Amino acid sequence: MQTRKRFSVTGCLKITAMAGALTAAALPVQADQWRGWNIHPPGYPNSEALESFAEEVAEKTDGRVEPKVYHNAVLGDQPDAIEQTRSGALDFANFNMGPMGPIVPATNVLSLPFIFNSVDDMYTIMDGEIGDRFADALAEEGLIALSWFGSGARSLYNTDHPVKTPADVQGIKVRVMNNDLYVEMIDNLGGNATPMSYGEVYQSLKTGVIDGAENNYPSYETSGHYEVAKYYSLTEHLILPECLCIAKSSWEELSEEDQKAVRTAAENAAETQRQLWEERVQKSKQTVLDAGAKINDVNDKAAFQEKMQPIYDDFVKQHPELESFVTDIQAAQ
Ligand code: BDP
């Protein structure tokens, strides 16, 4: 005979419902608060794109992931932020592939001067199979690259004369991003390269610690460098992709469904960034011209390209395993 007291079915349901309500009240589902690094000020194309990424992620994951973007490099300079993202101390970021080179050697291929013929070629190549190979190399170092932003073409600027031939670079002190390839690049033109973080450049130009730097129009403008270094010479020596990267540890914590949502949001953010970029280039160019910057064409680019040949030769000698990256990019254009 059954002596144990049985719960009635309705009693059971009531208890289950109560337990459910209690769990829901006591243990609300914790949103993942994601911290995102950005070097640029609010309003910059990349900043707007990161904000739209954050919004879309929060919405599409129903608030399970709540990304917040920290602008203006308040969380550290770029090499530092790359390390923080690799270790999972930061969750996502927009990184330029220049300062990535010392950490992910394959990405140095992208820093070989004049490797891309145009921004469009860069987009086509990075959006395809070759771009996936760079993403694989980044993943091995703890960074999940979900989409590629553009950063236009970088040109040289300096305080006291236009650069029209390599001889005009002779003896000038030029700030470069943190990567030995850029030191070689400026040295080969006869200048003195000074690696320095982005945030220090304005003051260093002002005080004469350096004579010039190199960047695209939007950064030349928003950093205020044009106020001090007014000769902007269209060398267009670097066309660098940037990633929207997620820390591997943050990525792996996501369900498959949320990974899908985050990836789509990153792809949409890249589309937004690329569109805003085009508009911003025109706007920035006008702003610097209005402020008295002198922009000059460089008619003989081949003279600059020739000086870069030893960099290519050294590079493939030192990294034979990366030679196919170089030749595949060249063959794709
Ligand atoms: C900008 C890049 C940024 C770099 C900066 C620099 O978007 O990631 O840190 O140049 O020169 O164009 O350091």
Side-chain angles (χ1 to χ4, degrees), residues 26-280:
L27 297 168
V29 178
Q30 275 279 314
D32 260 341
Q33 310 275 349
W34 273 15
R35 297 199 311 153
W37 179 90
N38 175 30
I39 201 163
H40 296 292
Y44 196 91
N46 306 32
S47 312
E48 301 268 297
L50 286 169
E51 289 291 357
S52 73
F53 167 75
E55 231 170 81
E56 188 177 332
V57 167
E59 190 195 313
K60 299 278 167 61
T61 63
D62 291 325
R64 286 183 294 278
V65 181
E66 278 180 1
K68 180 168 162 53
V69 187
Y70 292 82
H71 301 292
N72 280 320
V74 291
L75 300 179
D77 67 11
Q78 188 145 203
D80 198 44
I82 293 174
E83 289 303 347
Q84 289 193 61
T85 310
R86 289 181 66 207
S87 74
L90 293 175
D91 303 283
F92 68 105
N94 160 220
F95 291 130
N96 186 283
M97 289 300 113
M100 193 61 82
I103 295 150
V104 184
T107 61
N108 271 324
V109 171
L110 304 165
S111 284
L112 292 169
F114 303 106
I115 184 97
F116 292 112
N117 293 342
S118 69
V119 173
D120 281 347
D121 282 334
M122 183 277 279
Y123 284 146
T124 308
I125 289 168
M126 295 308 289
D127 288 341
E129 179 269 328
I130 298 177
D132 292 346
R133 277 149 63 187
F134 285 108
D136 290 345
L138 287 158
E140 273 175 36
E141 297 301 330
L143 298 166
I144 308 299
L146 294 183
S147 62
W148 304 107
F149 288 10
S151 66
R154 293 173 78 100
S155 286
L156 276 173
Y157 48 89
N158 69 312
T159 51
D160 73 11
H161 60 270
V163 169
K164 292 183 175 161
T165 70
D168 298 320
V169 183
Q170 190 65 42
I172 61 173
K173 282 176 281 174
V174 181
R175 175 270 174 170
V176 291
M177 288 190 282
N178 182 44
N179 189 322
D180 290 345
L181 281 175
Y182 304 148
V183 175
E184 239 185 291
M185 172 180 83
I186 298 298
D187 284 357
N188 286 11
L189 294 170
N192 299 317
T194 309
M196 183 184 282
S197 73
Y198 190 46
E200 288 172 59
V201 181
Y202 182 83
Q203 201 56 24
S204 303
L205 282 168
K206 227 174 167 170
T207 54
V209 170
I210 51 173
D211 305 306
E214 45 87 53
N215 221 316
N216 48 52
Y217 276 123
S219 288
Y220 177 54
E221 182 242 313
T222 51
S223 61
H225 297 174
Y226 69 98
E227 293 166 12
V228 203
K230 69 172 184 175
Y231 294 94
Y232 190 87
S233 309
L234 292 164
T235 48
E236 298 181 322
H237 51 277
L238 287 170
I239 293 176
L240 288 166
E242 305 198 350
C243 71
L244 202 172
C245 277
I246 313 287
K248 198 173 188 179
S249 50
S250 310
W251 177 250
E252 284 172 350
E253 275 169 22
L254 298 176
S255 65
E256 222 170 275
E257 183 198 352
D258 284 351
Q259 282 186 347
K260 229 170 155 187
V262 171
R263 185 179 290 280
T264 304
E267 284 163 0
N268 291 340
E271 210 174 292
T272 302
Q273 192 271 348
R274 294 179 191 188
Q275 268 169 23
L276 292 174
W277 184 264
E278 288 311 311
E279 294 159 25
R280 186 56 185 238

